[in-house]
Amino acid sequence: MTPNSLLAEYTREFEILAAQQGLAYYPIDFEVVPAHFMTEVAVYGLPIRMPHWSFGVRYIHQLIRQSMGHSRIFEVMFPGDPCHAYLVRDNSIAENILVVAHVIGHADFAKRNSLFERFMAMGGARILEQAAERSRAIERALVEHGQEKVEQVLDAALALEPHVDIHQPLYRSARAPSSPLASESYREYDLLWFIANHAPELQGWQRDIFLAVREESFFFYPVFACQIMNEGWASYWHARLLRQADFLPPAEYLAAIKAHSDVVRPFAADDQLALSINPYHLGFSMWEDIIERYGIDTARQICHDEDDFGFIRNYLTQNLADKLNLFVYETDHDGSIRIANKNIHAIREAILSVKFNYGAPRVAVKAVHGDGRLELIHDVGEDGRGLDLARAERVLDYIARVWQRPVSLHTVGINGQPRVLGASVNT
């Protein structure tokens, strides 16, 4: 029996076992692909996506990380109906056995979780087909309008990729301005939607690019917002399914369990402290703790109700944090690192702070003036983080080129004093 046919047989056995354990999910299309294809999928976020130079930069960074022994990619899974999962051809059969069980856990989470359910209902359940169509539209725009013009729009849209308002529906209409020459006040956080609908001279194909990036950002949001829950749920179920997989030969079972241990370990080597969270390790440990204390039915309700914010704040206990040796650290002026806090509230907020507002500074449209000037404001008080001013200036330049009017951003400088950044059409 070939490795692929053997893996297909194991997959069928795991799906039977999963059904017996109460897992329910949309059908999964498994595909075994070369390592380079998997790297491209991980970098682009999708197997086929709009072309842009920034993805090439990410690809180089990913190759460097892999060459240093970091960030090995075992699988990529896309929720939908059906789900799509890619496995690496160069993985051992034991590693791909683990991946199959892990993907089944992801698929169960995606169908069970209310955030995934809501965003799938808004955007449809066929992301790969939709992404392919958007990519073809970009290719047509490249032919018709040229690389420079298309790249200019993609620069702005992709720079604003996380600046969406996930509390708003994916598809909504825009209100008309009261007068062409009047200043209009706004408090709009969905910058991609606002520019697509209000940029004074944006052409239809340019608007479509902004809306395409926004649609993909909506698709990726549940993955981002539930990463710890999702990876932990998939890890819990791949471990549970493996323990019950009596159809596996002993050698393959032991190798798969070894791979599981590597996936959910807190850090990469012995005798070192981890300065970042491994979501597999934290999520797996939390689900084990929840199921031990409350049972599987309660765990499934939590899986439905929460995202990472509720999951961490409600179910990461001080006892578990101590057991996992979690702490908040600080870096001194000389570069040395010290443990600053082991209090559970500080630990929770340190884990979640990078997730607030899709990981981006909270920026809103403040006004569009009668002459077309766009005024943005950084909500410093709410997001509690400063801006990378150099990056912010580059993004304003991108926006000004598509807005075709001056753009300003009200924020604060490193001294805490008010500061206004600006970009004009000719930058």
Side-chain angles (χ1 to χ4, degrees):
M1 187 176 288
T2 66
N4 282 354
S5 60
L6 185 60
L7 185 61
E9 178 61 31
Y10 290 151
T11 299
R12 286 189 290 271
E13 294 285 354
F14 273 122
E15 289 178 331
I16 293 170
L17 189 56
Q20 293 170 351
Q21 293 295 314
L23 279 73
Y25 47 90
Y26 295 112
I28 306 170
D29 288 342
F30 288 96
E31 185 175 351
V32 180
V33 299
H36 69 83
F37 179 86
M38 185 69 86
T39 301
E40 291 167 9
V41 172
V43 167
Y44 277 80
L46 291 162
I48 302 176
R49 202 177 182 193
M50 52 194 70
H52 189 251
W53 58 266
S54 63
F55 295 118
V57 174
R58 297 180 203 177
Y59 186 82
I60 292 171
H61 287 171
Q62 179 65 32
L63 290 180
I64 292 172
R65 286 174 59 81
Q66 288 177 310
S67 69
M68 296 172 67
H70 305 301
S71 191
R72 183 181 175 189
I73 303 168
F74 281 91
E75 50 82 24
V76 176
M77 182 271 197
F78 298 98
D81 185 10
C83 302
H84 296 270
Y86 297 94
L87 291 69
V88 180
R89 183 180 298 160
D90 295 339
N91 282 350
S92 68
I93 186 67
E95 288 169 336
N96 277 338
I97 285 170
L98 176 77
V99 166
V100 165
H102 190 82
V103 165
I104 289 172
H106 275 316
D108 178 78
F109 185 93
K111 189 173 184 182
R112 193 178 300 275
N113 179 262
S114 60
L115 192 64
F116 273 85
E117 182 181 44
R118 174 181 164 234
F119 279 75
M120 190 178 295
M122 285 194 295
R126 304 187 68 82
I127 180 62
L128 300 193
E129 294 83 354
Q130 294 164 337
E133 176 52 39
R134 286 191 283 264
S135 179
R136 288 191 289 269
I138 297 294
E139 294 294 343
R140 291 192 294 269
L142 285 167
V143 172
E144 185 172 349
H145 304 287
Q147 181 173 342
E148 183 177 354
K149 289 184 178 180
V150 173
E151 195 165 271
Q152 194 173 83
V153 181
L154 281 169
D155 284 343
L158 289 171
L160 296 174
E161 188 175 13
H163 290 276
V164 295
D165 187 346
I166 53 90
H167 301 294
Q168 295 285 350
L170 176 58
Y171 302 111
R172 59 183 174 122
S173 57
R175 66 179 173 89
S178 57
S179 167
L181 298 178
S183 293
E184 295 281 341
S185 297
Y186 297 89
R187 193 64 165 169
E188 176 61 61
Y189 289 97
D190 197 326
L191 303 187
L192 285 170
W193 176 87
F194 188 87
I195 292 173
N197 285 281
H198 292 280
E201 298 180 27
L202 208 64
Q203 298 177 30
W205 66 272
Q206 297 170 311
R207 176 179 181 274
D208 289 344
I209 289 177
F210 270 85
L211 294 179
V213 171
R214 180 173 176 267
E215 284 185 14
E216 292 181 358
S217 188
F218 266 65
F219 169 79
F220 288 125
Y221 180 74
V223 179
F224 175 85
C226 299
Q227 183 195 26
I228 296 170
M229 288 181 72
N230 193 359
E231 295 297 356
W233 188 258
S235 298
Y236 172 83
W237 280 107
H238 82 224
R240 184 161 169 170
L241 293 175
L242 279 174
R243 286 195 297 268
Q244 300 175 15
D246 55 9
F247 52 85
L248 291 176
E252 300 295 4
Y253 169 78
L254 290 173
I257 288 294
K258 169 62 168 62
H260 158 75
S261 299
D262 291 341
V263 167
V264 300
R265 68 187 307 173
F267 37 79
D270 295 331
D271 301 324
Q272 73 177 55
L273 288 176
L275 297 181
S276 61
I277 293 293
N278 176 357
Y280 298 83
H281 172 67
L282 178 58
F284 174 75
S285 301
M286 287 183 66
W287 282 121
E288 280 204 320
D289 183 61
I290 288 167
I291 292 166
E292 180 180 344
R293 289 192 291 139
Y294 302 115
I296 191 63
D297 290 339
T298 298
R300 284 180 167 135
Q301 189 62 48
I302 293 168
C303 181
H304 174 271
D305 293 344
E306 302 288 9
D307 59 11
D308 278 350
F309 287 91
F311 186 61
I312 295 297
R313 286 175 176 154
N314 295 328
Y315 300 102
L316 178 57
T317 65
Q318 185 72 64
N319 286 341
L320 184 58
D322 292 342
K323 179 181 177 182
L324 301 179
N325 194 26
L326 300 180
F327 57 87
V328 179
Y329 72 90
E330 291 179 351
T331 304
D332 291 332
H333 66 277
D334 61 356
S336 60
I337 293 171
R338 61 185 177 85
I339 295 175
N341 205 324
K342 285 197 170 187
N343 177 270
I344 188 60
H345 301 292
I347 290 170
R348 288 170 182 160
E349 296 314 305
I351 292 170
L352 295 173
S353 63
V354 295
K355 286 180 164 289
F356 177 77
N357 196 48
Y358 217 153
R362 192 149 170 80
V363 175
V365 176
K366 182 179 181 183
V368 177
H369 297 279
D371 59 2
R373 288 180 294 117
L374 175 63
E375 189 175 2
L376 307 175
I377 184 168
H378 175 211
D379 199 342
V380 181
E382 186 169 348
D383 75 10
R385 62 165 69 102
L387 284 179
D388 179 334
L389 295 180
R391 174 175 168 76
E393 288 175 339
R394 289 197 302 273
V395 174
L396 288 179
D397 287 346
Y398 292 151
I399 296 173
R401 291 170 190 164
V402 297
W403 188 261
Q404 287 294 297
R405 304 288 190 277
V407 179
S408 62
L409 171 62
H410 294 257
T411 184
V412 297
I414 56 176
N415 57 1
Q417 296 300 309
R419 180 166 179 177
V420 180
L421 307 179
S424 61
V425 181
N426 296 323
T427 56

